[in-house]
Amino acid sequence: MEATYETVYTGYEVNIQYLESIFDKSGIDYIIKNDFESSLRAGYAGGIPGQARIMVERSHLEEAQKIVEATFPAEKS
């Protein structure tokens, strides 16, 4: 059975790194997507420099959303 991931936050890479550390401590499985870096490796330009997405396994979505809202209350993803 393949895991399904949902985007929980999109923003600056430094914010993504901070969330990574929190998710690691909380046992939340995640994937980081950086469309700009991926497009450069593929030989074309796309995405926004310095921006990334953090996606969590659907079973951890609610918990991850609460963490994001508590960590960055002024932002909505």
Side-chain angles (χ1 to χ4, degrees):
M1 181 176 189
E2 189 174 315
T4 304
Y5 288 81
E6 298 278 337
T7 299
V8 72
Y9 180 81
T10 302
Y12 293 109
E13 288 178 295
V14 69
N15 292 353
I16 298 292
Q17 292 170 347
Y18 186 64
L19 287 172
E20 279 184 275
S21 68
I22 296 171
F23 289 172
D24 283 339
K25 291 175 186 173
S26 300
I28 296 175
D29 295 326
Y30 60 87
I31 296 174
I32 305 299
K33 295 284 187 173
N34 185 322
D35 294 332
F36 182 74
E37 292 293 325
S38 296
S39 68
L40 287 179
R41 288 188 183 103
Y44 63 91
I48 300 170
Q51 294 275 311
R53 293 180 284 155
I54 190 165
M55 304 169 75
V56 299
E57 195 172 311
R58 189 172 281 159
S59 63
H60 295 287
L61 183 61
E62 189 174 325
E63 181 183 3
Q65 286 173 331
K66 288 178 184 178
I67 290 170
V68 169
E69 290 169 7
T71 305
F72 304 113
E75 297 184 32
K76 295 287 182 188
S77 59

